[in-house]
Amino acid sequence: MERMPNSAGRASRDSLRLTWVLLMVSCIAGCASDDMSDLKDYVADVKARQKSAVEPLPEVKTVEPFVFRPDELHDPFVLDEKAVPAEEVKAESGIRPDTARPKEELESYELDSLRMTGTLLREGVLWALVRANDGTIHRVKSGNYMGRNFGKILRIKDDQIELLEIISDTPGTWRERKASLDLAEASGGKK
């Protein structure tokens, strides 16, 4: 049995197509308007504005030329016999690290990679809890060492560890530098 095309379905499709065609024609007709009075008014307004004077450019300053004469300079690769010999470096300032003592575990870490995470009072001694960048927690007290610059812990407070580091100033001389490690915030950063 053959199917008969549905005339109601075809009629609705045709009316839908007709509606779209009429909509498109009306849109195109709306764009074809020759009324540009608002644009002409704006252009006339801009042309009627008073023109301001343009400021003059700044004056260009002349630069004195420099002539480089390398023949008048000392060659840095040739030893100058007239030069005064440099003073010998002061061998002893009295400050120097104790290299004979055994290194403590936290001396293998840079001070910036260590975080103070809290304190612990045990048998009258205030200990600081320090987390290394590998996640291990270490317990330290005054007198212990930490950091790569021979940092000796001077004092532990509830929110800070105070250290005295011994750093190389010039070859053969050392100087002391104070440093501190603050209690890390809950997010893990430095205070």
Side-chain angles (χ1 to χ4, degrees):
M1 193 176 206
E2 261 183 58
R3 271 187 146 170
M4 299 287 290
N6 188 355
S7 62
R10 177 181 269 170
S12 69
R13 275 187 279 159
D14 289 342
S15 66
L16 184 62
R17 284 184 186 154
L18 181 62
T19 305
W20 276 107
V21 169
L22 289 174
L23 182 65
M24 295 300 264
V25 169
S26 65
C27 286
I28 292 172
C31 295
S33 170
D34 286 335
D35 184 26
M36 292 194 210
S37 60
D38 58 339
L39 180 61
K40 289 178 184 176
D41 291 341
Y42 176 74
V43 171
D45 182 42
V46 169
K47 286 183 178 180
R49 290 182 190 162
Q50 189 175 20
K51 295 176 182 151
S52 61
V54 177
E55 294 181 22
L57 293 174
E59 188 176 320
V60 178
K61 297 177 182 175
T62 57
V63 179
E64 286 289 324
F66 174 77
V67 179
F68 179 69
R69 295 193 176 105
D71 53 323
E72 296 174 2
L73 299 175
H74 171 70
D75 187 355
F77 300 104
V78 176
L79 183 62
D80 188 10
E81 287 135 18
K82 300 176 193 173
V84 179
E87 286 186 46
E88 290 185 22
V89 177
K90 296 178 185 176
E92 286 296 318
S93 64
I95 301 169
R96 66 178 324 129
D98 182 9
T99 54
R101 70 169 175 75
K103 291 264 186 187
E104 294 184 22
E105 191 171 351
L106 286 177
E107 287 185 274
S108 61
Y109 297 96
E110 290 291 337
L111 196 58
D112 324 8
S113 69
L114 301 174
R115 299 286 180 256
M116 179 183 178
T117 57
T119 57
L120 176 69
L121 185 62
R122 196 166 198 188
E123 297 176 5
V125 178
L126 185 62
W127 294 81
L129 301 174
V130 177
R131 183 178 34 136
N133 59 359
D134 61 3
T136 57
I137 303 285
H138 301 272
R139 191 175 62 179
V140 293
K141 64 178 181 176
S142 295
N144 286 129
Y145 289 84
M146 57 193 292
R148 293 202 173 155
N149 291 323
F150 309 99
K152 184 176 183 177
I153 298 174
L154 298 176
R155 183 179 355 187
I156 297 175
K157 297 179 181 178
D158 288 336
D159 62 345
Q160 187 179 57
I161 300 173
E162 294 178 1
L163 301 127
L164 185 64
E165 295 182 314
I166 298 176
I167 58 173
S168 177
D169 200 14
T170 56
T173 61
W174 300 85
R175 68 180 173 93
E176 294 177 334
R177 174 178 71 182
K178 290 188 176 188
S180 66
L181 194 63
D182 293 335
L183 180 67
E185 294 176 0
S187 63
K190 277 189 133 177
K191 198 173 188 182

